[in-house]
Amino acid sequence: MSVRRCHTGELSPRDLAESRELCAGSFRDFTDADWSHALGGTHALVHEDGRLVAHGSLVLRRLMVDGRWLRCGYVEAVAVADDVRRRGRGSAVMESLEELAPGYDLLALSASDAGAPFYEARGWDRWRGPSSVATTVGVVPTPDDDGAIYARGERLDLDAPITCDWREGDVW
């Protein structure tokens, strides 16, 4: 198993295609917007015998907590090939991305019900406060995302309201 960490701009067309295919196979209804959320940041790629078996990326976002905008490393598109799940490949991806935490005020992600125990076991904390998104018409609550947001960082008030910057598709 080898882990490679690099910026989107350093990925070859093959790396990009394989990463997107892995994500599409791992997530139900993986859209063009979902893929675009994973681009423009740092990727962690895990290969075995020349085959991509796991992927994740960390992109810059702005999150407002208690009225203060924070620089966030947001985890996107963590996917592991079906035949190697639960063998440390996802952990290798996350470890590589978590090493970048000193460059941000916090790390955050939105977890599926199936993924939540994985992130909790890695020390991520579930955000308990209400979530919202900053749009061109103001701040709009996102109650369907409450309970699915996880964060890592020092001195975070997990009960505070949290607001993300707007983006196409799933905002969280």
Side-chain angles (χ1 to χ4, degrees), residues 11 27 31 46 56 83 87 102 153 166-167:
L11 294 174
F27 301 108
T31 67
V46 177
D83 63 326
R87 296 190 202 161
W166 184 89
R167 64 184 185 178

Short mmCIF file of all heavy atoms in Angstrom, two decimals, residues 11 27 31 46 56 83 87 102 153 166-167:
data_model
loop_
_atom_site.label_atom_id
_atom_site.label_comp_id
_atom_site.label_asym_id
_atom_site.label_seq_id
_atom_site.Cartn_x
_atom_site.Cartn_y
_atom_site.Cartn_z
N LEU A 11 -2.56 16.06 -10.31
CA LEU A 11 -3.14 14.78 -10.69
C LEU A 11 -3.18 14.65 -12.21
O LEU A 11 -3.55 15.59 -12.91
CB LEU A 11 -4.56 14.64 -10.13
CG LEU A 11 -4.68 14.58 -8.61
CD1 LEU A 11 -6.14 14.59 -8.20
CD2 LEU A 11 -3.97 13.34 -8.06
N PHE A 27 -20.57 5.93 -3.73
CA PHE A 27 -21.68 6.76 -3.27
C PHE A 27 -22.87 6.64 -4.21
O PHE A 27 -22.72 6.65 -5.42
CB PHE A 27 -21.26 8.24 -3.22
CG PHE A 27 -20.10 8.51 -2.31
CD1 PHE A 27 -18.86 8.83 -2.84
CD2 PHE A 27 -20.25 8.44 -0.94
CE1 PHE A 27 -17.79 9.08 -2.01
CE2 PHE A 27 -19.19 8.69 -0.11
CZ PHE A 27 -17.95 9.01 -0.64
N THR A 31 -22.81 13.05 -8.10
CA THR A 31 -23.09 13.99 -9.19
C THR A 31 -21.84 14.75 -9.63
O THR A 31 -20.80 14.70 -8.97
CB THR A 31 -24.15 15.02 -8.76
OG1 THR A 31 -23.58 15.84 -7.73
CG2 THR A 31 -25.41 14.34 -8.24
N VAL A 46 -4.55 6.25 -2.24
CA VAL A 46 -3.94 5.01 -1.79
C VAL A 46 -3.96 4.02 -2.95
O VAL A 46 -5.02 3.73 -3.51
CB VAL A 46 -4.68 4.41 -0.56
CG1 VAL A 46 -4.06 3.08 -0.16
CG2 VAL A 46 -4.66 5.40 0.60
N GLY A 56 -9.44 10.57 -0.97
CA GLY A 56 -10.11 11.61 -0.20
C GLY A 56 -9.45 12.93 -0.54
O GLY A 56 -8.31 12.96 -1.04
N ASP A 83 -13.70 -4.10 -2.25
CA ASP A 83 -12.97 -5.32 -1.89
C ASP A 83 -11.84 -5.11 -0.89
O ASP A 83 -11.22 -6.09 -0.44
CB ASP A 83 -12.43 -6.01 -3.16
CG ASP A 83 -11.43 -5.16 -3.91
OD1 ASP A 83 -11.58 -3.91 -3.91
OD2 ASP A 83 -10.50 -5.73 -4.51
N ARG A 87 -9.87 -2.40 6.03
CA ARG A 87 -8.49 -2.91 6.10
C ARG A 87 -7.48 -1.77 6.22
O ARG A 87 -6.31 -1.95 5.86
CB ARG A 87 -8.18 -3.76 4.87
CG ARG A 87 -9.03 -5.00 4.76
CD ARG A 87 -8.51 -5.91 3.68
NE ARG A 87 -9.54 -6.79 3.22
CZ ARG A 87 -9.52 -7.44 2.08
NH1 ARG A 87 -8.52 -7.28 1.23
NH2 ARG A 87 -10.51 -8.23 1.74
N PRO A 102 -2.83 21.75 10.89
CA PRO A 102 -2.23 23.01 11.36
C PRO A 102 -2.42 24.20 10.41
O PRO A 102 -2.30 25.35 10.83
CB PRO A 102 -0.74 22.66 11.50
CG PRO A 102 -0.73 21.19 11.77
CD PRO A 102 -1.85 20.64 10.91
N GLY A 153 -10.83 20.36 15.92
CA GLY A 153 -10.15 21.63 16.14
C GLY A 153 -10.13 21.93 17.63
O GLY A 153 -10.84 21.30 18.41
N TRP A 166 -21.81 29.05 0.48
CA TRP A 166 -22.67 28.40 -0.52
C TRP A 166 -21.82 27.74 -1.60
O TRP A 166 -20.73 28.20 -1.96
CB TRP A 166 -23.60 29.44 -1.17
CG TRP A 166 -24.54 28.76 -2.12
CD1 TRP A 166 -25.75 28.25 -1.81
CD2 TRP A 166 -24.32 28.49 -3.50
NE1 TRP A 166 -26.31 27.68 -2.94
CE2 TRP A 166 -25.45 27.81 -3.99
CE3 TRP A 166 -23.27 28.75 -4.37
CZ2 TRP A 166 -25.57 27.40 -5.31
CZ3 TRP A 166 -23.40 28.33 -5.69
CH2 TRP A 166 -24.54 27.67 -6.15
N ARG A 167 -22.35 26.66 -2.14
CA ARG A 167 -21.79 26.01 -3.32
C ARG A 167 -22.90 25.25 -4.00
O ARG A 167 -23.92 24.90 -3.39
CB ARG A 167 -20.62 25.10 -2.95
CG ARG A 167 -21.04 23.94 -2.06
CD ARG A 167 -19.84 23.14 -1.64
NE ARG A 167 -20.24 21.96 -0.89
CZ ARG A 167 -19.41 21.07 -0.45
NH1 ARG A 167 -18.13 21.21 -0.66
NH2 ARG A 167 -19.84 20.03 0.24
#
